[in-house]
Amino acid sequence: MTDTAVVPPDVLTAVRTKHRALWALGDYPAVASEVIPGLGAVLVEAAGVRPGDRVLDVAAGSGNAAIPAALAGAHVIASDLTPELFDAGRAAAAAAGAELTWAEADAHALPYADAEFDTVLSCVGVMFAPFHHVAADELLRVTRPGGTIGLIAWTPPGFIGQMFTAMKPFAPAPPPGAEPPPLWGDEAHVRALLGDGVTAVHTEVRSLPVSRFASGAEFRDFFKSVYGPTIAVYRNVADDAARTAALDEALLGLAARFQDTDGAMGWDYLLLTATRG
């Protein structure tokens, strides 16, 4: 287990401020609803969420996993560092007939008691908390013994993992001690993070079919307008026309590697479920 004091409080505060603003950029709920709408339900099913379960969705965004968990009959808290995402989540929940609680919370310091939840989920969410060991310890801490942790994260060699690789040369430097988000999609890395805090670990790499984009240019333009991390990278090179053009080409090249002739892609992700020890 990692002591949160390893990360200085001022660094955590700065990261919290920066990441809240980053995910408020653009329109992340559009990604959730138009590109990956079914991914949260996959996680809820794999985690075996049942009526009456106390469920926490960490880095829930607009409720991609939290809403299906509520529809399964669980008592759900959708927590996220960026409450600007909650309006879209509330609207989606109302449309689906789901009742749940929305709460601002940092994955590095969850404001919940030890062992408070039967199931703790995160669907391509906690992977973006840059201090992985701190966030993993929080997942473990708030899950009751015998409870379930369920995670979905993009894999390093998959499309989104490679998108972050393509953007890295154009991005601002990460804070000291930060780790790349796609490492949460590496089985060995996540097993090491959770360590002996879990048993009965099950992992599986799956591919999400994505047919939202007819061309590489459509993918690039969508992500540079709605996806916070991509918007932030473009802003970082906005004063350099050559680097902006190079970033454009890097994302086009990425799409060309993954799209078939009809524009369809498969985005690989790691699905992990485990029992809290």
Side-chain angles (χ1 to χ4, degrees):
M1 303 287 279
T2 302
D3 186 344
T4 55
V6 170
V7 182
D10 61 325
V11 173
L12 282 175
T13 298
V15 165
R16 187 176 296 120
T17 300
K18 178 180 177 180
H19 277 239
R20 174 175 173 170
L22 183 150
W23 289 103
L25 293 172
D27 184 8
Y28 180 75
V31 178
S33 63
E34 297 181 31
V35 187
I36 60 169
L39 203 56
V42 169
L43 179 58
V44 168
E45 180 180 4
V49 174
R50 299 168 297 182
D53 283 353
R54 300 164 299 164
V55 174
L56 176 67
D57 185 5
V58 177
S62 52
N64 194 266
I67 292 171
L71 292 174
H75 303 295
V76 180
I77 297 176
S79 69
D80 198 279
L81 182 62
T82 306
E84 290 87 343
L85 304 175
F86 293 165
D87 285 346
R90 290 187 180 100
E99 295 185 5
L100 62 154
T101 299
W102 302 86
E104 181 177 348
D106 179 3
H108 296 119
L110 295 169
Y112 304 109
D114 296 355
E116 186 169 342
F117 297 96
D118 301 302
T119 303
V120 174
L121 305 174
S122 190
C123 182
V124 296
V126 73
M127 65 181 290
F128 293 102
F131 303 111
H132 294 189
H133 286 275
V134 176
D137 285 353
E138 285 294 274
L139 298 179
L140 292 166
R141 182 184 65 78
V142 300
T143 308
R144 68 165 175 82
T148 300
I149 293 174
L151 306 172
I152 283 179
W154 304 117
T155 66
F159 181 79
I160 296 296
Q162 289 299 295
M163 184 181 77
F164 277 90
T165 298
M167 295 192 303
K168 183 177 179 180
F170 307 93
E179 294 182 275
L183 279 179
W184 278 89
D186 177 86
E187 178 182 349
H189 181 73
V190 184
R191 283 181 177 269
L193 290 175
L194 299 176
D196 59 7
V198 294
T199 62
V201 178
H202 174 79
T203 62
E204 180 181 353
V205 174
R206 297 186 182 181
S207 185
L208 175 72
V210 175
S211 57
R212 168 64 174 75
F213 310 108
S215 67
E218 185 177 350
F219 146 72
R220 179 199 61 200
D221 293 345
F222 180 83
F223 266 69
K224 70 191 291 187
S225 65
V226 306
Y227 191 63
T230 307
I231 295 169
V233 171
Y234 271 95
R235 288 186 177 182
N236 190 55
V237 298
D239 294 333
D240 189 327
R243 295 192 74 201
T244 298
L247 176 55
D248 278 342
E249 289 303 313
L251 293 180
L252 285 177
L254 170 70
R257 286 168 47 201
F258 282 85
Q259 281 185 312
D260 64 21
T261 55
D262 296 322
M265 294 185 276
W267 294 7
D268 287 357
Y269 62 90
L270 178 72
L271 171 65
L272 177 145
T273 58
T275 301
R276 179 69 169 97

